[in-house]
């Protein structure tokens, strides 16, 4: 005969508290693709020893100058460490173009096939990832002009907002794909 154990009252209360707190910490996206603000609870401690990844709160995001190519628009998405500790980035940023009301414009960018490498950022150092797309003036893509580019550091949920001042971007139709590269040291080409 199986033995079933009833959790102790203290354990039940801890499980209930965890279940209630989880949605507050994680944040969410609604079904329309709009970003819903996430609320993170302030941490009373620094990142744990050995965890060197850069936190969104330690970074500033910017978009570098246009580097045009043959029918392409290329921009470096730059993250700069403004904390007082050395941290690391590995992989790709998350990015999304949004309009003034926060509505997402177009699909998520496609990632290059490059292997992610670890980039160490001392205080004040930067890393960049390439953001590129076919020049909307030359392609058949449907366009929109974003108000901002949202940038999410690797392994983070909090987004950094960057005003978008580079005009229209492709959001649909032929040649509407936007591409991202992995992070590299520096502020771009």
């Amino acid at each position: 005969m199986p033995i079933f154990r009833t959790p102790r009252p203290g354990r039940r209360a801890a499980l209930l508290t965890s279940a209630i707190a989880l949605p507050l910490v994680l944040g969410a996206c609604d079904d329309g693709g709009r970003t819903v603000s996430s609320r993170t609870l302030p941490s009373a401690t620094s990142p744990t020893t050995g965890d060197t990844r850069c936190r969104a709160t330690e970074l500033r995001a910017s978009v570098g100058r246009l580097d045009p190519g043959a029918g392409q628009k290329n921009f470096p998405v730059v993250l700069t460490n403004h904390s007082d500790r050395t941290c690391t980035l590995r992989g790709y940023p998350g990015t999304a173009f949004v309009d003034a009301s926060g509505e997402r414009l177009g699909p998520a960018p496609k990632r290059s096939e490059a292997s992610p490498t670890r980039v160490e950022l001392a205080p004040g150092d930067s890393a960049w990832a390439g953001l590129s797309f076919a020049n909307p003036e030359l392609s058949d893509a449907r366009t929109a002009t974003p108000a901002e580019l949202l940038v999410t550091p690797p392994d983070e949920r909090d987004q950094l907002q960057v005003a978008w001042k580079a005009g229209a971007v492709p959001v649909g139709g032929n040649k509407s794909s936007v591409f991202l590269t992995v992070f590299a040291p520096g502020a771009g080409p």
Side-chain angles (χ1 to χ4, degrees), residues 14-34:
L15 290 172
L16 180 60
T17 302
S18 297
I20 291 169
L22 188 60
L24 293 174
V25 174
L26 293 180
C29 284
D30 70 7
D31 291 337
R34 293 181 301 249

Side-chain angles (χ1 to χ4, degrees), residues 63-155:
V63 175
R65 66 178 177 78
L66 169 66
D67 181 23
Q72 291 284 314
K73 287 193 171 190
N74 306 295
F75 300 89
V77 175
V78 181
L79 293 182
T80 302
N81 180 0
H82 72 90
S83 75
D84 59 357
R85 75 175 184 108
T86 297
C87 63
T88 57
L89 294 173
R90 184 177 190 284
Y92 301 85
T95 61
F97 292 110
V98 295
D99 64 16
S101 65
E103 294 286 325
R104 186 184 186 125
L105 301 172
K110 296 178 180 179
R111 294 178 170 184
S112 69
E113 295 181 14
S115 296
T117 59
R118 187 178 142 190
V119 179
E120 189 172 281
L121 299 179
D125 284 354
S126 298
W128 70 282
L131 177 76
S132 65
F133 49 86
N135 186 335
E137 296 169 5
L138 303 176
S139 71
D140 294 330
R142 198 172 68 251
T143 64
T145 302
E148 293 179 326
L149 177 67
L150 301 180
V151 180
T152 309
D155 301 319

Side-chain angles (χ1 to χ4, degrees), residues 27-41:
C29 284
D30 70 7
D31 291 337
R34 293 181 301 249
T35 303
V36 177
S37 299
S38 64
R39 198 175 116 197
T40 55
L41 302 175

